[in-house]
Amino acid sequence: MRFGHFDDDAREYVIETPRTPYPWINYLGTEEFFGLLSHTGGGYCFYRDARLRRLTRYRYNNVPTDAGGRYYYVHDGGDFWTPGWAPVKRELDRYECRVGLSYSRITGERNGVRAEVLYFVPLGTNAEVHRVTLKNTRTAAKRVRLFSFVEFCLWDAWDDQTNYQRNLSIGEVEVDGSTIYHKTEYRERRNHYAVYSVNAPVAGFDTDRESFLGPWNGFGEPRAVAEGESRNSVASGWSPIGSHHLAVDLAPDEEKAFVFVLGYLENPVDDKWERPGRVNKKPARELLSRFQTAGQVDTALAALRDYWTGMLSTFTVRSGDERLDRMVNIWNPYQCMVTFNMSRSASYFETGIGRGMGFRDSNQDLLGFVHLVPARARERLLDIAATQKPDGSAYHQYQPLTKQGNNDVGSGFNDDPLWLVSGTAAYVKESGDLSVLKETVPFDNDPKDAAPLFEHLKRSFHHVLQNLGPHGLPLIGRADWNDCLNLNCFSDTPGESFQTTGNRTGRTAESIFIAALFVHIAPDYAALAEAMGFEEEARAAREHAARMGETVLEHGWDGDWFLRAYDFFGKKVGSRECEDGQIFIETQGYCVMAGIGVASGQARKALDSVRDRLETAHGIVLNQPAYEAYHIELGEISSYPPGYKENAGIFCHNNPWVMIAETVVGRGDRALALWRKIAPSCREETSEVHRLEPYAYAQMIAGRDAVRHGEAKNSWLTGTAAWNFVAISQHILGVRPEIGGLRVDPCIGPDVEHFTIVRHCRGAEYRITVTNKATGRPARLVVDDRPIEGTLVPYAPAGRVVTVGCEV
Ligand code: BGC
Ligand code: NOJ
């Protein structure tokens, strides 16, 4: 069952009913100011940091769900409603939410009044613009009253939800005509405030929540709206809000648009006041002057569209399979941008007050983002690298505002350092910018201890070699990619963090996953070393990798698949000898990606085992059998009920590893089939089962052991976005930048017979036409009408257009 449809020409998903199984959201903002917006108008916005600079309040885990938003109420002759249906939930004659790239447009119609609200954050602007268009669709004139509503957050979203003894006494606002200023704590150390304004005279306003709602009412029944009359309240403590009241006369068929701006402003510390007690409003006036007319809004929206058109043109495919094309051309890169901007901070599953930027997460996010804006990826890489410790290990997370490693979580996730090599290699391949390797980057943000970026990579690589266990495999530390496989944790205390508890310090628990990751990145590492002129290091790296590959085959092979790990006691994890957890997905995917066992046929065998034991109709589960009981020696993984999260859930992040692995062994049909199982556009038809947005990947789909098999959770902020983009664009469609050229090596199976790709890379444009007979690789390439040897298209100078014909 669908709840909407894709409009590919408009690059929109059109939600046709507000009664989706869960709030379906979108992200506004591309630079520093961001908003989360559900299809009913719920959500919140913030400036840069979702915890510390939260502009509006939102209630996670509320009943009903999705409480708090930027609401526009229509009062029409005693009747009142909201165009997004919620929060009033009065039946609408028509409803639609168009989810676009960094904007949403919600339209509701009732009793001859149509209200359309367009929400977006203009480029270069620290504000949301909401354009509300009211139309009288009947033949008689009408007077309607429009009420706006936002509830301000007192900036630090954590404190806002916990420190009521203070917070209920500090709220302050100023009202100046149609403009409401939220200035809580501005009197003391803050030099920033929020503004909420409309470009028309108001008939009234409210800034005190209870005055607007009435003391016993929720957002669905505000007293001011029901009565059609504002209280003109000025908040003093309690909960400051912003609400405008506009009296709007509409002739038959007449339409009127109003522009609301909700923004964040800062003043210099020594220029905070206009006069004693009155905020310096200069920057706010400047902001508002930019959005006074419908024309200004149109121009800003057009600029946002152009921005996306430009970015998305980097990689486009026409395959005749619209589900594939819309993911590759629109929604997957869009999500990659969102994850790059948000990391794991703010979604409907991440509260914006918790996790910092993950070392491994950020490097992986970059893999799907780097082609969109390489310069921003470069900046991010240097930030991440600066948190690395001198011994090559890494803080697991760092804080986005301070960019310092986070001591609460600390380090010891032994896969972390290697992801820096992956991220850097991806950047260099995309951009050709080798100078990044020579950038001076501190260790642990200590300017006195700095070295070229390449030295960081070297320490990452050698950190693995310095931390090998009894079988010569890498020590796992607290965990590897699978945060929940905690082999040194041994936690018996309820509530204790599996991420930080380490009750055993023995150097025994080993990870075959880290071994595979090491072998996988080694060729890139060696190539970067060569680019630096370190031939000896490159040669040694290749040897280490070859040896590690052999070690995996010797100690990491279980007969039909790759083992997952050795635990603290040296017992196998992910082996037929185990009672539960006999086979894990991660090592099957990554070992094959690394080329381990390909020549011997073990790779295929491992992937066959995945197919036979882990694959379901909804994707590949992480392990089987699921852990039924808590295993103190394995940690968090066994704390989840069977079928959820890392305990045999379908972890959409690692499914693409198997897709890529299938292309390594030449089974493009399998790769594409696996892609289709989890691609949101392909799950649209079963949205009642999947339940989350059909235009964004979720981190997890409940596995076959789960009661709710097939149901997705944790949409949007997940490494799934980047990895699926890498799998489909670089390995299945097969176009990927390498250091020496653009590889064109499709492996997609017979289903898609013909496709064209336009790829912009390093300033040149490659027009690639693929005739796919699935007759086997290597592909035959014709570049600018001349056949070439192999599948690597040499990079052309910037500005050139290169045509590539490919037959495979
Ligand atoms: C989740 C993991 C996540 C980890 C770190 C765990 O509870 O299951 O998916 O990586 O927390 O936040
Ligand atoms: C989510 C985390 O953000 C990521 O770093 C981790 O690899 C996966 N969960 C798997 O545990």
Side-chain angles (χ1 to χ4, degrees):
M1 179 185 188
R2 288 193 283 108
F3 296 86
H5 64 272
F6 286 94
D7 180 345
D8 295 332
D9 291 340
R11 296 191 304 227
E12 291 174 338
Y13 190 79
V14 187
I15 302 170
E16 292 159 2
T17 164
R19 288 181 176 81
T20 52
Y22 202 73
W24 285 2
I25 71 164
N26 193 11
Y27 283 85
L28 315 176
T30 51
E31 295 152 326
E32 305 217 290
F33 191 95
F34 298 102
L36 283 70
L37 184 81
S38 74
H39 70 294
T40 63
Y44 58 94
C45 56
F46 60 91
Y47 170 70
R48 289 187 64 194
D49 186 307
R51 170 171 171 181
L52 297 176
R53 293 285 190 281
R54 181 95 52 111
L55 265 79
T56 58
R57 191 172 277 164
Y58 186 74
R59 290 171 179 75
Y60 278 93
N61 213 1
N62 198 72
V63 179
T65 190
D66 200 19
R70 288 73 105 213
Y71 297 135
Y72 290 91
Y73 300 88
V74 176
H75 174 112
D76 177 13
D79 177 43
F80 68 96
W81 50 278
T82 29
W85 181 63
V88 175
K89 295 197 284 185
R90 204 85 73 211
E91 284 316 310
L92 299 172
D93 302 328
R94 185 176 158 233
Y95 162 90
E96 175 184 279
C97 171
R98 290 187 164 259
V99 178
L101 303 182
S102 306
Y103 69 88
S104 286
R105 196 192 300 265
I106 299 175
T107 308
E109 185 170 334
R110 184 174 157 92
N111 289 336
V113 178
R114 183 183 311 149
E116 177 203 279
V117 192
L118 164 73
Y119 297 88
F120 71 112
V121 175
L123 296 175
T125 304
N126 291 326
E128 284 186 359
V129 167
H130 309 156
R131 187 181 63 200
V132 184
T133 309
L134 296 175
K135 180 172 176 140
N136 179 359
T137 62
R138 296 267 164 90
T139 46
K142 274 209 187 228
R143 157 159 284 209
V144 298
R145 294 173 182 282
L146 176 69
F147 291 84
S148 68
F149 175 82
V150 300
E151 182 180 10
F152 292 110
C153 178
L154 309 187
W155 303 116
D156 178 340
W158 169 259
D159 188 76
D160 183 70
Q161 287 179 54
T162 47
N163 191 8
Y164 299 110
Q165 60 80 23
R166 169 181 164 84
N167 291 343
L168 295 180
S169 292
I170 62 173
E172 289 191 288
V173 299
E174 281 180 38
V175 182
D176 181 11
S178 299
T179 307
I180 293 164
Y181 296 88
H182 174 232
K183 60 168 188 178
T184 300
E185 287 189 343
Y186 190 83
R187 64 168 55 244
E188 32 124 343
R189 291 153 298 174
R190 295 190 186 275
N191 62 335
H192 55 87
Y193 59 93
V195 70
Y196 187 37
S197 183
V198 60
N199 67 341
V202 292
F205 64 87
D206 273 297
T207 63
D208 174 66
R209 190 182 68 200
E210 267 59 53
S211 303
F212 175 76
L213 294 177
W216 301 106
N217 296 351
F219 299 136
E221 43 188 345
R223 184 173 66 184
V225 177
E227 294 172 4
E229 205 166 82
S230 295
R231 267 35 185 192
N232 297 341
S233 58
V234 177
S236 175
W238 298 106
S239 297
I241 62 156
S243 172
H244 307 89
H245 167 192
L246 305 183
V248 186
D249 289 311
L250 293 171
D253 257 345
E254 195 187 8
E255 183 176 284
K256 281 187 181 156
F258 303 95
V259 183
F260 293 81
V261 176
L262 171 62
Y264 170 91
L265 302 135
E266 283 177 1
N267 275 326
V269 183
D270 55 9
D271 194 16
K272 281 176 62 167
W273 306 103
E274 186 173 84
R275 58 193 154 86
R278 307 290 286 183
V279 170
N280 171 1
K281 305 186 174 63
K282 246 193 297 175
R285 292 200 181 103
E286 190 275 329
L287 165 71
L288 298 178
S289 71
R290 292 170 47 213
F291 304 103
Q292 281 308 299
T293 65
Q296 286 172 311
V297 175
D298 286 337
T299 308
L301 187 66
L304 185 63
R305 256 186 210 287
D306 291 347
Y307 166 83
W308 273 108
T309 303
M311 247 182 327
L312 295 181
S313 68
T314 313
F315 193 116
T316 49
V317 62
R318 297 273 165 269
S319 72
D321 177 342
E322 58 181 18
R323 295 180 193 176
L324 190 151
D325 291 0
R326 62 173 64 113
M327 284 315 297
V328 173
N329 296 339
I330 305 170
W331 297 100
N332 198 348
Y334 181 55
Q335 188 178 355
C336 287
M337 169 63 112
V338 171
T339 51
F340 182 84
N341 284 331
M342 296 287 125
S343 190
R344 304 295 172 269
S345 69
S347 73
Y348 268 30
F349 299 87
E350 302 278 7
T351 57
I353 55 183
R355 304 167 55 172
M357 317 267 295
F359 194 98
R360 92 157 72 86
D361 291 339
S362 301
N363 276 304
Q364 288 175 82
D365 291 346
L366 214 137
L367 305 179
F369 172 84
V370 63
H371 68 295
L372 296 176
V373 195
R376 283 185 71 196
R378 185 186 208 269
E379 220 176 282
R380 176 69 56 84
L381 264 178
L382 299 178
D383 285 349
I384 302 170
T387 69
Q388 186 179 30
K389 297 188 171 188
D391 68 354
S393 67
Y395 285 100
H396 196 45
Q397 292 173 11
Y398 71 97
Q399 296 305 324
L401 270 190
T402 63
K403 299 187 176 170
Q404 301 281 327
N406 178 345
N407 271 313
D408 301 341
V409 185
S411 72
F413 295 76
N414 284 349
D415 65 316
D416 273 336
L418 291 179
W419 294 111
L420 182 63
V421 183
S422 280
T424 305
Y427 168 72
V428 170
K429 290 175 187 177
E430 180 67 40
S431 64
D433 167 22
L434 287 164
S435 76
V436 74
L437 299 172
K438 297 195 175 148
E439 284 280 345
T440 306
V441 184
F443 288 99
D444 200 358
N445 279 295
D446 175 2
K448 293 194 294 298
D449 184 9
L453 178 64
F454 182 79
E455 176 63 23
H456 287 254
L457 308 189
K458 188 170 174 189
R459 295 199 198 174
S460 289
F461 193 79
H462 289 273
H463 184 262
V464 173
L465 295 170
Q466 284 149 12
N467 290 281
L468 298 178
H471 299 91
L473 291 161
L475 292 170
I476 195 166
R478 290 184 192 283
D480 58 25
W481 174 87
N482 190 331
D483 273 320
C484 298
L485 193 60
N486 315 115
L487 303 182
N488 294 300
C489 178
F490 292 82
S491 174
D492 55 10
T493 306
E496 197 167 59
S497 163
F498 290 98
Q499 308 287 306
T500 53
T501 306
N503 291 327
R504 305 282 166 101
T505 47
R507 293 172 66 88
T508 45
E510 297 171 297
S511 162
I512 288 134
F513 174 79
I514 300 179
L517 180 58
F518 178 83
V519 178
H520 182 251
I521 58 98
D524 285 341
Y525 173 68
L528 297 179
E530 267 159 5
M532 290 289 289
F534 302 141
E535 304 292 339
E536 180 48 32
E537 178 66 11
R539 197 192 49 75
R542 292 195 174 102
E543 265 179 40
H544 286 302
R547 208 165 314 131
M548 186 70 81
E550 284 160 22
T551 307
V552 169
L553 289 175
E554 191 179 338
H555 296 294
W557 180 251
D558 197 55
D560 286 314
W561 57 81
F562 293 98
L563 282 178
R564 179 62 178 82
Y566 287 95
D567 74 9
F568 176 81
F569 306 105
K571 261 187 66 190
K572 293 173 182 172
V573 179
S575 159
R576 67 180 75 221
E577 293 167 20
C578 305
E579 197 181 326
D580 293 335
Q582 294 177 340
I583 172 171
F584 280 68
I585 186 175
E586 300 98 308
T587 40
Q588 318 317 323
Y590 240 93
C591 287
V592 180
M593 281 165 68
I596 303 170
V598 173
S600 62
Q602 282 155 292
R604 268 177 185 251
K605 207 169 195 186
L607 296 176
D608 288 346
S609 299
V610 169
R611 182 194 57 211
D612 297 344
R613 293 176 178 251
L614 299 180
E615 194 175 327
T616 76
H618 296 286
I620 309 166
V621 300
L622 194 143
N623 58 298
Q624 281 290 287
Y627 293 105
E628 286 290 337
Y630 178 57
H631 287 253
I632 193 168
E633 77 287 7
L634 301 179
E636 183 169 354
I637 187 166
S638 58
S639 73
Y640 286 111
Y644 294 109
K645 295 281 289 185
E646 281 86 342
N647 187 15
I650 296 158
F651 227 83
C652 298
H653 183 145
N654 54 31
N655 275 234
W657 299 344
V658 175
M659 299 170 201
I660 299 169
E662 287 287 8
T663 68
V664 170
V665 301
R667 302 197 297 203
D669 52 338
R670 295 272 309 135
L672 184 64
L674 291 171
W675 181 85
R676 285 180 171 150
K677 286 193 177 192
I678 64 165
S681 61
C682 300
R683 299 178 61 78
E684 187 200 12
E685 295 293 341
T686 49
S687 287
E688 79 285 8
V689 177
H690 184 80
R691 296 188 73 229
L692 298 186
E693 298 91 338
Y695 45 86
Y697 280 97
Q699 181 205 48
M700 193 235 1
I701 298 170
R704 68 155 81 100
D705 304 281
V707 175
R708 307 179 67 136
H709 184 33
E711 181 188 73
K713 283 206 190 89
N714 305 351
S715 52
W716 286 98
L717 304 185
T718 158
T720 306
W723 273 110
N724 274 281
F725 190 73
V726 170
I728 188 74
S729 67
Q730 300 190 4
H731 297 274
I732 299 176
L733 296 169
V735 177
R736 56 181 177 274
E738 295 189 355
I739 290 179
L742 191 66
R743 180 74 66 191
V744 178
D745 181 24
C747 185
I748 194 169
D751 249 33
V752 183
E753 287 171 9
H754 180 89
F755 57 94
T756 57
I757 286 175
V758 179
R759 178 66 156 95
H760 291 256
C761 192
R762 306 187 185 191
E765 180 179 323
Y766 300 83
R767 297 187 186 157
I768 304 162
T769 306
V770 179
T771 310
N772 174 40
K773 303 204 175 89
T775 48
R777 290 137 119 197
R780 278 84 52 205
L781 300 192
V782 177
V783 177
D784 286 337
D785 296 327
R786 271 199 219 110
I788 63 161
E789 284 290 315
T791 54
L792 199 60
V793 179
Y795 287 119
R800 273 274 307 280
V801 176
V802 180
T803 58
V804 182
C806 169
E807 235 185 69
V808 64

